[in-house]
Short mmCIF file of all heavy atoms in Angstrom, two decimals:
data_model
loop_
_atom_site.label_atom_id
_atom_site.label_comp_id
_atom_site.label_asym_id
_atom_site.label_seq_id
_atom_site.Cartn_x
_atom_site.Cartn_y
_atom_site.Cartn_z
N VAL H 50 22.90 -6.44 -5.66
CA VAL H 50 22.28 -6.06 -4.39
C VAL H 50 20.98 -5.31 -4.56
O VAL H 50 20.40 -4.84 -3.60
CB VAL H 50 23.30 -5.21 -3.56
CG1 VAL H 50 24.55 -6.04 -3.25
CG2 VAL H 50 23.66 -3.89 -4.24
N GLY H 51 20.55 -5.26 -5.82
CA GLY H 51 19.25 -4.62 -6.07
C GLY H 51 19.20 -4.22 -7.54
O GLY H 51 20.18 -4.32 -8.27
N ALA H 52 17.98 -3.83 -7.98
CA ALA H 52 17.80 -3.45 -9.42
C ALA H 52 18.79 -2.39 -9.79
O ALA H 52 18.93 -1.41 -9.10
CB ALA H 52 16.32 -3.02 -9.66
N GLY H 53 19.46 -2.62 -10.88
CA GLY H 53 20.40 -1.59 -11.42
C GLY H 53 21.83 -1.68 -10.79
O GLY H 53 22.70 -0.97 -11.25
N ILE H 54 22.02 -2.54 -9.85
CA ILE H 54 23.27 -2.64 -9.12
C ILE H 54 23.90 -4.08 -9.26
O ILE H 54 23.30 -5.05 -8.76
CB ILE H 54 23.24 -2.20 -7.65
CG1 ILE H 54 22.52 -0.87 -7.48
CG2 ILE H 54 24.58 -2.20 -6.99
CD1 ILE H 54 22.15 -0.59 -6.11
N THR H 55 25.09 -4.25 -9.86
CA THR H 55 25.68 -5.48 -9.95
C THR H 55 27.14 -5.34 -9.61
O THR H 55 27.74 -4.25 -9.70
CB THR H 55 25.52 -6.12 -11.36
OG1 THR H 55 26.27 -5.29 -12.29
CG2 THR H 55 24.10 -6.28 -11.75
N ASP H 56 27.84 -6.44 -9.31
CA ASP H 56 29.25 -6.44 -9.04
C ASP H 56 29.85 -7.86 -9.32
O ASP H 56 29.11 -8.81 -9.48
CB ASP H 56 29.42 -6.08 -7.51
CG ASP H 56 30.87 -5.48 -7.30
OD1 ASP H 56 31.69 -5.57 -8.22
OD2 ASP H 56 31.06 -4.95 -6.24
N GLN H 57 31.17 -7.84 -9.41
CA GLN H 57 31.84 -9.07 -9.82
C GLN H 57 32.13 -9.95 -8.58
O GLN H 57 32.31 -9.46 -7.51
CB GLN H 57 33.18 -8.73 -10.47
CG GLN H 57 32.98 -7.98 -11.81
CD GLN H 57 34.33 -7.68 -12.41
OE1 GLN H 57 35.42 -7.83 -11.80
NE2 GLN H 57 34.31 -7.17 -13.68
N GLY H 58 32.09 -11.22 -8.89
CA GLY H 58 32.47 -12.16 -7.87
C GLY H 58 33.89 -12.70 -8.09
O GLY H 58 34.77 -11.97 -8.55
N GLU H 59 34.05 -13.96 -7.77
CA GLU H 59 35.46 -14.54 -7.88
C GLU H 59 35.88 -14.87 -9.26
O GLU H 59 37.04 -14.72 -9.59
CB GLU H 59 35.40 -15.88 -6.96
CG GLU H 59 36.69 -16.61 -6.90
CD GLU H 59 36.56 -17.90 -6.18
OE1 GLU H 59 35.39 -18.17 -5.64
OE2 GLU H 59 37.51 -18.68 -6.13
N VAL H 60 34.89 -15.31 -10.12
CA VAL H 60 35.28 -15.72 -11.50
C VAL H 60 34.45 -15.02 -12.51
O VAL H 60 33.59 -15.66 -13.21
CB VAL H 60 35.18 -17.28 -11.67
CG1 VAL H 60 36.31 -17.93 -10.82
CG2 VAL H 60 33.82 -17.73 -11.08
N PRO H 61 34.51 -13.68 -12.76
CA PRO H 61 33.58 -12.94 -13.60
C PRO H 61 33.86 -13.02 -15.09
O PRO H 61 33.05 -12.70 -15.93
CB PRO H 61 33.68 -11.57 -13.03
CG PRO H 61 35.11 -11.43 -12.63
CD PRO H 61 35.41 -12.82 -12.02
N ASN H 62 35.20 -13.36 -15.45
CA ASN H 62 35.58 -13.22 -16.80
C ASN H 62 34.82 -14.07 -17.77
O ASN H 62 34.61 -15.27 -17.48
CB ASN H 62 37.10 -13.54 -16.93
CG ASN H 62 37.94 -12.51 -16.19
OD1 ASN H 62 37.48 -11.35 -15.92
ND2 ASN H 62 39.21 -12.89 -15.91
N GLY H 63 34.31 -13.52 -18.81
CA GLY H 63 33.61 -14.13 -19.86
C GLY H 63 32.05 -14.11 -19.63
O GLY H 63 31.35 -14.69 -20.38
N TYR H 64 31.66 -13.44 -18.58
CA TYR H 64 30.23 -13.38 -18.22
C TYR H 64 29.79 -11.95 -17.96
O TYR H 64 30.56 -11.13 -17.48
CB TYR H 64 29.94 -14.16 -16.96
CG TYR H 64 30.41 -15.55 -16.90
CD1 TYR H 64 31.67 -15.88 -16.33
CD2 TYR H 64 29.63 -16.58 -17.44
CE1 TYR H 64 32.10 -17.18 -16.28
CE2 TYR H 64 30.05 -17.91 -17.35
CZ TYR H 64 31.30 -18.25 -16.82
OH TYR H 64 31.71 -19.58 -16.72
N ASN H 65 28.61 -11.61 -18.43
CA ASN H 65 27.99 -10.33 -18.15
C ASN H 65 26.68 -10.56 -17.45
O ASN H 65 25.96 -11.51 -17.69
CB ASN H 65 27.71 -9.54 -19.41
CG ASN H 65 28.94 -8.72 -19.83
OD1 ASN H 65 30.02 -8.80 -19.20
ND2 ASN H 65 28.85 -8.01 -20.94
N VAL H 66 26.32 -9.51 -16.61
CA VAL H 66 25.00 -9.61 -15.98
C VAL H 66 24.42 -8.23 -16.00
O VAL H 66 25.08 -7.23 -16.16
CB VAL H 66 25.05 -10.10 -14.48
CG1 VAL H 66 25.45 -11.50 -14.41
CG2 VAL H 66 25.94 -9.15 -13.67
N SER H 67 23.03 -8.13 -15.79
CA SER H 67 22.38 -6.93 -15.66
C SER H 67 21.17 -7.21 -14.75
O SER H 67 20.74 -8.38 -14.57
CB SER H 67 21.88 -6.39 -17.01
OG SER H 67 21.05 -7.30 -17.65
N ARG H 68 20.65 -6.21 -14.14
CA ARG H 68 19.42 -6.38 -13.22
C ARG H 68 18.51 -5.21 -13.45
O ARG H 68 18.54 -4.16 -12.75
CB ARG H 68 19.98 -6.45 -11.73
CG ARG H 68 18.88 -6.78 -10.80
CD ARG H 68 18.85 -8.09 -10.28
NE ARG H 68 17.80 -8.39 -9.33
CZ ARG H 68 18.00 -8.31 -8.02
NH1 ARG H 68 19.19 -8.00 -7.53
NH2 ARG H 68 17.03 -8.60 -7.18
N SER H 69 17.61 -5.36 -14.31
CA SER H 69 16.61 -4.27 -14.64
C SER H 69 15.43 -4.27 -13.76
O SER H 69 14.77 -3.32 -13.60
CB SER H 69 16.29 -4.31 -16.13
OG SER H 69 15.73 -5.61 -16.43
N THR H 70 15.18 -5.46 -13.23
CA THR H 70 14.01 -5.64 -12.31
C THR H 70 14.46 -6.40 -11.09
O THR H 70 15.49 -7.08 -11.07
CB THR H 70 12.81 -6.42 -12.94
OG1 THR H 70 13.21 -7.80 -13.17
CG2 THR H 70 12.40 -5.76 -14.24
N THR H 71 13.68 -6.38 -10.01
CA THR H 71 13.98 -7.15 -8.80
C THR H 71 13.89 -8.59 -9.10
O THR H 71 14.65 -9.42 -8.52
CB THR H 71 12.97 -6.82 -7.66
OG1 THR H 71 13.10 -5.39 -7.36
CG2 THR H 71 13.21 -7.60 -6.38
N GLU H 72 13.01 -9.01 -9.94
CA GLU H 72 12.73 -10.45 -10.17
C GLU H 72 13.74 -11.16 -11.04
O GLU H 72 13.99 -12.34 -10.84
CB GLU H 72 11.31 -10.59 -10.87
CG GLU H 72 10.12 -10.16 -10.02
CD GLU H 72 10.01 -8.65 -9.97
OE1 GLU H 72 10.51 -8.01 -10.87
OE2 GLU H 72 9.33 -8.14 -9.05
N ASP H 73 14.37 -10.45 -11.94
CA ASP H 73 15.18 -11.15 -12.99
C ASP H 73 16.61 -10.83 -12.95
O ASP H 73 17.04 -9.65 -12.72
CB ASP H 73 14.59 -10.81 -14.35
CG ASP H 73 13.19 -11.27 -14.58
OD1 ASP H 73 12.93 -12.40 -14.50
OD2 ASP H 73 12.30 -10.35 -14.73
N PHE H 74 17.49 -11.84 -13.22
CA PHE H 74 18.91 -11.59 -13.15
C PHE H 74 19.56 -12.55 -14.16
O PHE H 74 20.09 -13.60 -13.79
CB PHE H 74 19.44 -11.90 -11.66
CG PHE H 74 20.83 -11.49 -11.45
CD1 PHE H 74 21.34 -10.34 -11.91
CD2 PHE H 74 21.73 -12.36 -10.68
CE1 PHE H 74 22.64 -9.90 -11.67
CE2 PHE H 74 23.02 -11.97 -10.50
CZ PHE H 74 23.48 -10.85 -10.98
N PRO H 75 19.56 -12.14 -15.37
CA PRO H 75 20.11 -13.04 -16.42
C PRO H 75 21.65 -12.99 -16.49
O PRO H 75 22.26 -11.95 -16.13
CB PRO H 75 19.57 -12.39 -17.75
CG PRO H 75 19.25 -10.98 -17.37
CD PRO H 75 18.93 -10.97 -15.93
N LEU H 76 22.20 -14.08 -16.90
CA LEU H 76 23.65 -14.26 -17.05
C LEU H 76 23.99 -14.46 -18.48
O LEU H 76 23.47 -15.40 -19.13
CB LEU H 76 24.16 -15.41 -16.20
CG LEU H 76 25.72 -15.76 -16.28
CD1 LEU H 76 26.50 -14.69 -15.58
CD2 LEU H 76 25.93 -17.13 -15.77
N ARG H 77 24.88 -13.59 -19.09
CA ARG H 77 25.16 -13.72 -20.46
C ARG H 77 26.57 -14.24 -20.69
O ARG H 77 27.51 -13.73 -20.06
CB ARG H 77 25.06 -12.36 -21.13
CG ARG H 77 23.60 -11.73 -21.10
CD ARG H 77 23.51 -10.53 -21.89
NE ARG H 77 22.19 -9.93 -21.70
CZ ARG H 77 21.81 -9.20 -20.73
NH1 ARG H 77 22.62 -8.88 -19.73
NH2 ARG H 77 20.58 -8.71 -20.62
N LEU H 78 26.69 -15.24 -21.58
CA LEU H 78 27.99 -15.72 -22.00
C LEU H 78 28.23 -15.10 -23.41
O LEU H 78 27.45 -15.31 -24.31
CB LEU H 78 28.05 -17.24 -22.22
CG LEU H 78 28.21 -18.01 -20.91
CD1 LEU H 78 27.00 -17.94 -19.97
CD2 LEU H 78 28.59 -19.45 -21.19
N LEU H 79 29.22 -14.23 -23.49
CA LEU H 79 29.42 -13.47 -24.73
C LEU H 79 30.00 -14.31 -25.88
O LEU H 79 29.56 -14.15 -27.02
CB LEU H 79 30.27 -12.26 -24.40
CG LEU H 79 29.82 -11.35 -23.33
CD1 LEU H 79 30.81 -10.29 -22.99
CD2 LEU H 79 28.40 -10.76 -23.61
N SER H 80 31.02 -15.14 -25.54
CA SER H 80 31.66 -15.94 -26.51
C SER H 80 32.06 -17.22 -25.80
O SER H 80 33.09 -17.31 -25.14
CB SER H 80 32.86 -15.26 -27.11
OG SER H 80 33.53 -16.07 -28.03
N ALA H 81 31.24 -18.26 -25.85
CA ALA H 81 31.42 -19.42 -25.03
C ALA H 81 32.76 -20.11 -25.29
O ALA H 81 33.20 -20.28 -26.46
CB ALA H 81 30.31 -20.40 -25.21
#
Side-chain angles (χ1 to χ4, degrees):
Chain H
V50 299
I54 307 170
T55 64
D56 204 349
Q57 296 181 349
E59 182 186 353
V60 287
N62 292 342
Y64 307 95
N65 272 1
V66 292
S67 59
R68 184 102 179 266
S69 55
T70 67
T71 300
E72 293 78 21
D73 300 298
F74 190 42
L76 178 72
R77 296 184 186 84
L78 280 71
L79 305 175
S80 178

